[in-house]
Each structure stands twice: as structure tokens, then as C-alpha cells.
Amino acid sequence: MHHCIIERYESLIVYLFMKLTTRFALLFVLLHNISFFAIAQQSPQVATVAPGVKKLTSGQPEKFSPYSFCGEKPMVAEMSRLPEAKLPFNVNDIKINVSDRGAVIEIPLDNEEQLYGFGLQMGSFNQKGLRKKPIVNDNPSHDLGYSHAPMPFYVSNKGYGILVNTSHYTTFYCGSTAKNTGAVHVNDGKSGNSVEELYKNDRPASGYVAVDVPGVQGVEVYIFEGPDLINVLQRYNLFSGGGALPAMWGLGVKYRVKADFNQQQVEKMADYFRANDIPCDVLGLEPKWQTTAYSCSYVWNKDFFPDHDKFIDTMKTKGFHINLWEHAFVNPKSPLYVPLKNKSGDYLVWNGLVPDFVDPAASKLFADYHKDTFVLKGISGFKMDECDNSNLTTGNATWSFPEHSRFPSGINGEQMHQVFGVVYQKTVYNIYKELNTRTFLDVRSSNAFASSYPASLYSDTYNHHEYIQMISNSGFSGLIWSPEVRESRSVADLMRRSQTAVLSAQTLYNSWYLQNPPWLQINRDKNNKNEFMENAKAVEADVRKLLNFRMSLVPYLYSAFADYHTKGIPPFRALVVDYPTDPKVFNIDDEYMIGQGILAAPLTENSDERKVYLPAGNWYDFNTRKKYPGRQEYIIKTSYTDLPIFVKEGTILPLARPVEYISPETRFELTCYVYGDQPKPFSLFEDDGVTFDFEKGKYNTLSLSYQNGKGVVKKTGAFKGSRYYLKSWEVIR
Amino acid sequence: MHHCIIERYESLIVYLFMKLTTRFALLFVLLHNISFFAIAQQSPQVATVAPGVKKLTSGQPEKFSPYSFCGEKPMVAEMSRLPEAKLPFNVNDIKINVSDRGAVIEIPLDNEEQLYGFGLQMGSFNQKGLRKKPIVNDNPSHDLGYSHAPMPFYVSNKGYGILVNTSHYTTFYCGSTAKNTGAVHVNDGKSGNSVEELYKNDRPASGYVAVDVPGVQGVEVYIFEGPDLINVLQRYNLFSGGGALPAMWGLGVKYRVKADFNQQQVEKMADYFRANDIPCDVLGLEPKWQTTAYSCSYVWNKDFFPDHDKFIDTMKTKGFHINLWEHAFVNPKSPLYVPLKNKSGDYLVWNGLVPDFVDPAASKLFADYHKDTFVLKGISGFKMDECDNSNLTTGNATWSFPEHSRFPSGINGEQMHQVFGVVYQKTVYNIYKELNTRTFLDVRSSNAFASSYPASLYSDTYNHHEYIQMISNSGFSGLIWSPEVRESRSVADLMRRSQTAVLSAQTLYNSWYLQNPPWLQINRDKNNKNEFMENAKAVEADVRKLLNFRMSLVPYLYSAFADYHTKGIPPFRALVVDYPTDPKVFNIDDEYMIGQGILAAPLTENSDERKVYLPAGNWYDFNTRKKYPGRQEYIIKTSYTDLPIFVKEGTILPLARPVEYISPETRFELTCYVYGDQPKPFSLFEDDGVTFDFEKGKYNTLSLSYQNGKGVVKKTGAFKGSRYYLKSWEVIR
């Protein structure tokens, strides 16, 4: 018996020794910097996680991935209604190599295909051939890939999307790095004699996209399948919980007042809007409403807003929603400071705490305070500033927290930078969601899987061409972008920027350093001295016309956002999304689709006319009603008060009589414009515009069609109210 | 007995189980991304590695550190002659924390002290309060810390230097990130009402420098002690093997011809110099001398240089050295391609191999080929281009290799980027060193511990103010910088840039895209059409005067470089190096010392006069001979043909009669200018100027002094030749 026991012990010992030895070997690998040794080189695991969405896993994926912060469930039913998913390559051809440096992913790339995405890029559009570092930063210089809302996510016109589910800083090499395979590449060595020719480099196509993900022990890759590019975007948005549906008033006009305005000054500005019949739904307050701003106290400055709650109510009766500027860095004077002290990162920003929003307890403290102090008092939304990082030394290195910061949840500073805008949005959005109240927020940073947040990005960069390009880019990544208007170099600049703002997701005038609206004085200094332009009233009238058009467009836009929510179709999207096989649109970044039937081609101050390429089909100039055959380029002239838009043949476009603001009682008087002889029905979305009841089915679909010379409206759905009055129909041929 | 055995087994089993449990816990930490858990938090080990140089080690330091590539031995004897080393803080106050993310180092920082360095920075000078990422890149935009020659190395005016011995990308937070200690920081929350005041951020001083070194399992930190800042730089340079001593001809004038010039055109240009008495020592050939350039064949283009070896010899007889442009990326058509195929990285650049210069076998192949094909045929040096990385999308993402590249030696792409310029320099420099022939190279990138390489950095950025600033910055990091002259916006720009070039380590005209010297036509297009300026001959005469002054300065400069080699004193250095306690010089980046007694204050095209701050002591305007008391600022006017320099009282300045080029036979006719009544002796360095024999003692020191109204020369040393003829003395009072 003893012998027997010994034998049993012996085999156990041998087993334990073997285990130990293995562990030691592994430890040796982990602890010593043997770069060439790959820890995990096995094939990635492939799983289908939703209809047309695959997940590849290799090694030990990170805990704090972007998808881990997605609070919304995939809209699986809606996804299963899409055309059958298809990939243009074999999923097993994606290679993932995990080493002690991190992960490197290689995805097949066809020589002919075009790549887009990486979040809110500015400076580039078609990303094929480029090296991109999608890193959160307000300083996107030289098109490195830095952006307020970068994403490790690109899509191809061949109908698929690749999302690397990492919060680490990454580099994507989009098809231009060639490997040393030992083979001699084609290179005839011939170069001309001119200096230019000598330096014309040989640029082979590599046949793959390489993604460098340093600092991880493994990685997940999400693949969004087509068959078409638009289906890829639909799947991405639906997988993220469906696109955002802002409160209806959010689609009106937003005006941010000067940073140091007090209660009386804001009220005076509100009265100016109403007295002059200029539409405005939201007034945004900038830093001075708080006792401390950099960092934030989240406490009303009673010197400036002595009756803040009454002020909110008064504004509400006049049809204004109030939006508050803030950032997330908590000043020692804030009531949130002591509760958050141990739920924040180990570094301060502007002497303020960086709340660990990854920890639900920290988010809850922040949210509860905001709910009680502001949201329940009637504050309709927030401008969540400074949640991006900055590389600019203007100011100095104190801008945001170091990458090596540590947070109690375990996330580090680098990862937190990448997701800070997302977890901040989630924290604030959930206040509204839990109160069954919709909102439209402003946010300075975002990342992947954030399609469902009704928050508009903005920037200080202010290049008008880039602002237009960002509208096109936003649609590839489930983002909402607001090309805001500040001061201007010329009236032409003001008017063209205003047109772009009207033709974007949020029409915003940001006068945080202007005493008066920019249309009264474009020059900052004169504006602040109350010196108006000679033609101020004429310019004001022109701006009024544009903003009235914006209000006319709200029902159409709102339905486009409903499509974004329920079908995942981006309301603003580059032409290549709808026309992925037309090479002429591959590089068009300054034209985009709005909803189903409108093509926008904004102008800048440089000229009153521009080249417009119209894709397949026939198109109508909205202003002249002239019909243009597609697949051609035209030179189109547009005045300041017209909008540079084209309507696709077959569209039914409902336009409203402008209102000055949108309340739950607003009933839009619609004229339906029917373009061409065979119009397709248009689905108008109807609900209360302010609650989430539509998610429980309390909405209507008004199907607008035009048959046998007359308009037909078919209403279905469970919403009891009526937001639209169909006044008339007009056919354009 | 059995019982006994069982007991022994039992205790062994318990022991093994305990070990296993520990290992499992550790493994869990390593394999799961639990960022908050520090793997190694023990105190760093401290060792003294040379007189006044300490090394701190924590965790497992990386194999491919910058110091691992330093081929030179520390000059310990010279270091031990420096004043006694001293640190202003306790070395144990440096904290190193190694976690799964990497290492974070904290170094104490006094509120009053000023920081400099990080290699060849442009855009910033005093680094206190900034966040710097010393990463190799030709695109140093927004002063992120990117540079051709970045270094994880800063120095303090309090007399110490900190070098993080890593090839990984790092971030230095120079005293501006505050920690969440739980304490409420001083912040009165008072901000004014103006917009500017609202956004004036609170910027606490943090009391430490934090260094983020992601991706390492441990780190070494070198501390260079003072007591004074200059001693810190001396220790650093001597520890790196002593500063470079270029071939004497390298201190003359270098001219790079147009990239597509053929043999006849180069010869014609050479004749132009001699016929017009314009000094020139080196002619540089640009890409077209090779059969393929991007990437390189390293094979003479016989269409352009049919008699290349004879050409070299002919040029030599006319006193010209030939320098060849190249980069290190090996074209498939190169004879080096097949031998290097398996000794290169796994990615190509411009279809060319990236040789693994970390592997001595790869270096040897590259060096041997260059030795046989070029150096033994008389090529005097190389311009080692494109060994920096690039973030510019001009061109495209193919510029250089990905960070995730792998090399047979085990180094990865990120590390290789940081050290590529260094290992490339080392490879080429050693060819010359082994042949006992000195050189003066051009190189596009460098890093730490490279002081001993006689290679001048250059850039495409071309901002004149930054070029001046980089002269000041180069001295903090053992670097040689060449503010080259190309075309110009105006004659004023050309002349002021020429002055700066004359007052720098290398006087270089880079006409790689100019048919004619820029002094004949400043405009690029006209220059290439051979349309000369009306006043071309007058401008040429003015440039000739400046270049002649350069040649006058060579003996003085050569001695300054000898001091660099034997004492580690940077020949070009910011005023703060010599005057570390004068707050007025803390931010002066556009004045610098040359050798012991000259202060340069270059002008740009903007004005013919500038503010010049003169530090303690009395100073003489070199041109007017007017005496100025120091510790004051003056407005000084300087013509195009004078040099904006000031001589310190007590200096003996030997100036030579200009020669057109420098050969081993050149004997300089010297006039010694004695400034003030109590001149200090000047040590003139004398050797053959072209071999390393001086390292074996074959050099002389000529001690020049002025006593009792006459000049005295004391010569000591073992060099048999005579390079100097003391013609006259002149006293300036």
C-alpha cells in the first residue's frame, strides 16, 4: 500500500515538474526581450458574431477593447434583413502574428480596390497606399491619421470592412509596404535625367494591408461583410446598436454664445433671434457659466447666472434648448472632486481629476450629479470638450494626461486616450436615455462602435475644404460631424461656410469669442467692438434664407436619421458608398449624399462656381430645376442664398414650411417635390421627436408616393400624434 | 523508512505546489492585461561605469540599446581629469517602475532649473515644461520632438544629464504633468472674464521629469554628472569615445552639384571655383552617379561618369575631394543585393533591401564593397541619405520600413528606425578608420553615443531661424549640424544663410537642383535656365569674402574640434553651456559659442541688425573692434560681408590667410589677434590632418600666448610636420 502511494506521489511529482518546466520556459520567453520569437503564431479563431459580422481572435485579446465599451446590443433582426453577406477573399487569408512586440495583422488587398475610413480623417479621403495612425489628437497635421475621432476601421469599395478591436495606438499600412521575399521585384532601374525623375520613387503595390498593434498579447479583428459597401456600413452601425437618432430639435440651428456672456446677455441674444425671425433651437453656453472652467467645477457661476433654473425655463418657453459646455476634468472646487478622488487616474489635467469612466461607479457619480444638477433642471445637452488629446505645444505639455497614466479600472493612459471620448459620451448619453429623453450632444472625440451616440464632433482646425471632406469621411465610420461657423475672412467665406453648415448633420454657429453673430460682422475685432458691417442687414437676410432652408429640410433629414437608426444607412455619406464601382467617384471627397435622394456639392469662398460630378442616373439642380444626365461632370454656379444640391431622379422630397424652432407640438406643413416620372415612395418617420418611445414601436411611417398624377400618403404605426401636414405636391420633370 | 520517504515527498510536493501557485499568479499577470499591477518595482541598481557616469538598471534592459552600438571606448583618463563629479539630487530619488506596459522613470526636477537637449531639436530650445517624443523623423512639425537626430537625453543647467538607454520610442514629460496625490492643489479658481483669461490654463510645476518607455521589460538610465553643464557634455562626449575630429579639409567649403550632372559638368564646376578663386574642398555628387538611385545600385553610371576613377584623381590634383550621395536601401540590380538578401529586414524600401547593420556580417559586406569600389579609389566620404524615417505623405507610405519590421539580428523596425543612422554611420566610418584615413561624412539621421562620428546632419526643412537654433541645440547632444544653403528668396537671404553656413561646423552649398551656384542666381527656375542676376559678379565677390573668412577660421575651428575630441567640449554650443547661471541666456537659441572665445549671433534676411545679448565679461565686435561690457543687450548692425561675431576679452584668435583648399601640405600663415590686456594662452592643434596618427600621439600643441608686448609660441608633441607659420600679432584693446 505504501509502495502504491509512493508511486502515485511519484507520477504526480513528474507531472508537476513537467508543468513547472513548461512554465519556466514560457516565463523566460516573456521576461527576456527575444524579439524574433513569436509567442503565438497559430491561425486565428473565426466566429460569426452577428449576421455578416465575423470575429477573428488570436492570442489573448485586450480587456479594454473598443467593443467592450459598446453598451448597445447589435440589431440582429435588422442585420439579417440585409442582402446575403459575402467577402471578396477567403477569411483564412487574414494572417495574425502575435509576438512579444504585439500583433501584426495582414489582410488581403486587391490592386484595384479603394480604401476609406479610419474615423474622422481630415486631409485624406481615399486611404489606399497611405500609412495611417488612427490616434486621438486634435492636431491632425500632415495627415498622419491623427484625428478627434480616429478608428482602427477601414472599409473597401469591394464590400467589406476591417475593424481591429484595440484601444492601443496602431499603424495601418494600406497596401504600400513590400516584403523582402527574396524574389527580385520588377524595377527596370530606368529613371530620367531630370531632378524630379531621379527622386520619383518606385512604389510597388504590396497586395495586403498590414496593421501594427504594438503592446498587445493578442487581438480581435471584426470583419463586416457586404456584399456592397453600403451594406458594410449598415452592418457596422447596426452592430453598434443602430445609428443615433437625435432629438428632433437637434436638427434645427444651434448657436453658441460668447464664452463670457451672462444671463442677461444670453437672453438678449435669444430675443434677437426671435425678433428677427432667425431660426434657432439651441443656445450653447461656454465656460463662464461655471465657477471654474479649466478644470471644471460643474457649479453655476451665480455672478453670471443668478437665476439659472428660471433662466432655463424662460428660454424653454421661447423655444430654446440650453446646452452647457464642459470637459471631464474635475476641479478641486467641484462637489465631484472628493467622491471621484479615488476613482480617477493617477495624473491630473489642469489640476483636475481624470475620472475613470471605465469604472461604472465613477460614471455613475458623474452622471448622477449631472442628472440632478442640470438635466432634471432642463439642460438639454452638453458640449463635451477637451476629451481629445493634443500634440500642440501652444499651451504646453499639460494638455491631457500622459500615456503612461494608470486608472483604478486597470486601463492605461494610451488606451484611455483612445476611448475617453466614447466612455464620456456613454456616461452623459445614459443620463438622458434613462430619463427617456433624447438629446443632441457635442463631443470633441470619439472612436469605434459609437454610432448610437447622438453626439456631433467638432474641431478648431477651421479649414473649409477639410470641413467638407470630413462630412464625406464621417459616413464611413458611424460619426456625426459638425462643420461649425465662426468668424470669416469674407462675406463669401461666411455664406459658403453657412451653406455647408446647413447641409450637414448639425447647423452650428460657434460664437464663443464673438459678441455678435458673425453675419453682422465677419471680423472678430470689429465684431467685439459692436461695429457692424455696412451691409449687415442684407447679409443677415441671406443667412436667414439659408437657415430657413435648413428648417425646411428637417423632416427629410429626420427620416434620414431614422434610416440611420433602423437600417444603419449613414445620413451623410461619400458618393462612393452609393456608387462603389464608378472609378470617377473614388477620390471625390467634396460631394456627398444626404439621405436617399440629395447630392450636395458645397462651394468655398474661392469661387461662385465649381465642378460637380453627377453619378449614374439623372439629376435635377435643386435651384434651377434643370435636369442633368449622370456619369458626367458639370460646372455649376450657385448664389449665396441657394443651396448647392442636386436631387436624384425618382426622389420624392418633402420640404417643410420653415419654423423658428421645433417643439413636440410642431406640426410641419409639407410640400412634396416629385422628381421625374417614376418616383419611388419616400418613407417619412413620425414620432414625438423627444423620447425613446419609438424604440417600443411608438412611431409611424408615412409612405409618400405619387401615382397617376396625385400624391398618396399611407400611414402605418402606433404613434398617436401627427407631426406632418401634407399641403401640396409639385412635379418636376 | 517508507513513512519517512513519504514525508519527504510530502514536503517536496508542498514546496512544488507553492512554487506552481506563485508562477501561476505571475503568469496570470503576464498573460492578462492587468495594467495596474507592476511586475518589477524594486529599486534600480546603481553602478558607476566611468568617472562621473552612473548607470541605473531596473528589470531586464533591452538588448538593442543605443549604447550597445557604441564602438568606441570611454576616454576614462580624460574624464578623470574633469572637476569632481556632483549631482544636485540623491541618485536614489530617481524612480523606475517597470510594468507590463513598459518602464516609467521619474527624475527629480527643481522648479528653477532649465532643461535642454533631446538631440537635434528644431522648434524648441529650452525644453522645460514641454512634452517631447525624441523619435527619428524628417518631419519635426509642431515640435513634438521628432527630429533627424533625436535622443532620449537631456541636460540641466544645474549640472547633470539623463540618458535613457533605449531604442524604443519614448515620451519625456519635462516637469508639467501633475499627479493625483489626493491632495488639493493650489488653484484659486479665479479667472478673468475675457475669453483669453478663461482659456488660460492652470499649469502646475510637477517637480519631476517623467519618461514613458513603452514596450520594454526593463531599462537602463545613464546619469552624466557635472558639477557644471559643460562638464556634463564633456563626460557624455568622452564616454562616447570623444568628439569627432574630421579630416582638416572637411572644415573647408563643400559644394554639392546638381543631381544629374555628368563628369564634364562636374569638372566644369570645379574649374569655375578655381578660376574665380572661390574656396572649395569637397564636391558632392548626387544620385545620378549611380545606375539606380531609389533604391541604390552602388554602381557607377558609366553614361555619366565613363572615367570615374580617373575623374577622382583629376579632381584630387586640383584639390577637390569627392563625396558620393547614397542611401542604404539596396536595389535588386546592386552587386550587394544577393549577398545581403538574407541579412536584411523582412520589408523592402523602394524595392530595396534594408541591410541589418546590427549584424556585423551585413555591415562587413556593405563596408567591404564600399571600400574596394569607392574608398580605395579615392572617394573621400559619403552623404548617407534617407536613413531617417518620414511622416510626410508627400511621396507616400513607402518612405522607409514599417515599425513592425523584423531583422535577422532580432532588432525590430521601431528600434531599427531609432538607430539606423548610427549603425549606418558606424559601418561607413569604420571603413575609413581601418584605412587610417579621416573623412567628413554627411548623414541624415543619428542618435545617442555617436559623438565620435565625423558626420554632419542636414535637413530639407530650410527655415533659417531653425537652422541657427539647431547649431545651438547640436552642442547639447554631441552632434554636428550643417545649415546648408540652397536657393534663396532674396540676396539678403542668400548672404545671411551663407554667413550662418560659414559660422557652422560644415559650410555647405547644396545645389542638387541648381545648375549654377546660388550666388549667380538665387531663383531656382532662372538658375536652371542659366539666367544670372544682374549683380551676379558682385554677389559672387561678397560670397567669396565670406568663404575666405571661413578658410581663415579653419586653424581655430580645427583646434576647437581637437578640444571636442580630447576634452569633449562641443565646438558649437549654446550660451547656457558656458553661462549656466545667467537667466538671460536660458532661452537664447540664436547665439552660440564657437570654440573658446567666439560668440556668433547670426542674422536672417529680415533685418541688417539684431539684438545681441553678451554674457559676463567684456566682448569685442570682430568687425568694428568696439568693446562691449557684458551682461547687456545691444543692437548690432552687420553688413553682408562681415561676420556677426564677438570675441571674448582674453582671447587669442589665430586667423589664417585664406587658402582655396586644404591639402596635407597646406601651411597656414597665421595672424594672432589678441583681445584685451590679459590674454589666456590658446592651444593650437597640429597634425597631418588626414590620418588617425594623432591618436598615437603624433600631434603637436602650439601654445600661443602674449607676454610683455610680444607673442610667444611653445610647441610640444611628436608630430614632425609644420602646418602653421606665425606671421604676426595684433593687439586689440
Side-chain angles (χ1 to χ4, degrees), chain A residues 9 36 131 193 390 406-407, chain B residues 13 35-36 131 260 390 407:
Chain A
Y9 270 91
F36 238 60
R131 173 179 54 184
N193 286 343
S390 180
R406 287 156 171 264
F407 291 83
Chain B
I13 287 162
S35 305
F36 238 60
R131 173 179 53 184
D260 55 4
S390 180
F407 291 82

Side-chain angles (χ1 to χ4, degrees), chain A residues 154-379:
Chain A
Y154 69 86
V155 296
S156 162
N157 72 326
K158 298 268 168 178
Y160 66 93
I162 299 289
L163 193 152
V164 179
N165 188 29
T166 180
S167 304
H168 284 260
Y169 293 166
T170 57
T171 308
F172 286 69
Y173 298 82
C174 300
S176 52
T177 46
K179 278 201 176 168
N180 174 16
T181 57
V184 175
H185 287 254
V186 178
N187 180 345
D188 64 5
K190 280 182 199 151
S191 56
N193 286 343
S194 79
V195 169
E196 290 68 25
E197 284 168 313
L198 281 169
Y199 290 89
K200 194 176 155 229
N201 307 319
D202 196 2
R203 291 170 197 167
S206 66
Y208 56 88
V209 171
V211 191
D212 182 21
V213 194
V216 297
Q217 281 92 44
V219 74
E220 288 173 349
V221 178
Y222 283 87
I223 308 169
F224 296 93
E225 302 185 56
D228 288 325
L229 177 49
I230 195 159
N231 309 131
V232 175
L233 303 181
Q234 288 180 277
R235 285 186 208 280
Y236 167 75
N237 291 323
L238 292 170
F239 188 69
S240 307
L245 183 60
M248 202 178 197
W249 52 257
L251 301 180
V253 176
K254 183 181 281 182
Y255 186 91
R256 305 204 74 91
V257 301
K258 190 150 179 275
D260 55 3
F261 268 17
N262 63 23
Q263 188 170 324
Q264 286 72 34
Q265 287 170 302
V266 181
E267 285 171 343
K268 203 179 140 200
M269 184 59 72
D271 291 341
Y272 161 82
F273 276 97
R274 294 296 176 253
N276 290 279
D277 300 323
I278 298 170
C280 185
D281 268 284
V282 185
L283 289 171
L285 307 188
E286 292 279 311
K288 201 64 198 175
W289 71 267
Q290 290 186 52
T291 54
T292 69
Y294 277 83
S295 48
C296 285
S297 66
Y298 316 100
V299 172
W300 281 99
N301 179 340
K302 294 210 170 152
D303 295 341
F304 279 64
F305 291 87
D307 311 304
H308 41 81
D309 294 340
K310 199 181 140 207
F311 162 77
I312 298 167
D313 291 341
T314 311
M315 288 292 102
K316 199 170 191 175
T317 63
K318 295 180 179 176
F320 290 100
H321 290 82
I322 300 296
N323 171 298
L324 294 181
W325 173 97
E326 64 162 47
H327 58 58
F329 308 121
V330 181
N331 191 272
K333 297 208 167 178
S334 171
L336 276 167
Y337 187 86
V338 170
L340 282 173
K341 209 169 58 177
N342 298 319
K343 293 183 167 62
S344 294
D346 59 350
Y347 281 89
L348 303 172
V349 178
W350 304 310
N351 265 338
L353 299 172
V354 184
D356 186 357
F357 288 134
V358 172
D359 171 12
S363 285
K364 188 172 158 37
L365 279 166
F366 195 91
D368 284 352
Y369 176 87
H370 278 67
K371 184 174 73 177
D372 296 342
T373 319
F374 304 117
V375 181
L376 288 175
K377 301 286 164 71
I379 291 299

Side-chain angles (χ1 to χ4, degrees), chain B residues 128-180:
Chain B
K128 175 81 169 287
L130 301 183
R131 173 179 53 184
K132 301 297 284 192
K133 293 176 183 285
I135 291 176
V136 171
N137 207 285
D138 76 345
N139 174 22
S141 69
H142 291 288
D143 196 25
L144 307 180
Y146 293 8
S147 153
H148 305 287
M151 289 191 198
F153 176 40
Y154 68 87
V155 296
S156 162
N157 72 325
K158 297 268 167 177
Y160 66 93
I162 299 289
L163 193 152
V164 179
N165 187 28
T166 180
S167 304
H168 283 260
Y169 293 166
T170 57
T171 308
F172 286 69
Y173 298 82
C174 300
S176 52
T177 46
K179 279 200 176 169
N180 174 16

Side-chain angles (χ1 to χ4, degrees), chain B residues 512-525:
Chain B
W512 69 269
Y513 50 67
L514 297 178
Q515 192 76 19
N516 299 285
W519 50 79
L520 298 180
Q521 176 52 266
I522 56 172
N523 178 276
R524 178 176 176 166
D525 290 339

Side-chain angles (χ1 to χ4, degrees), chain A residues 687-702:
Chain A
D687 77 334
D688 60 28
V690 291
T691 74
F692 290 89
D693 291 353
F694 70 93
E695 291 190 342
K696 294 163 209 142
K698 286 196 179 166
Y699 68 92
N700 300 326
T701 303
L702 279 70

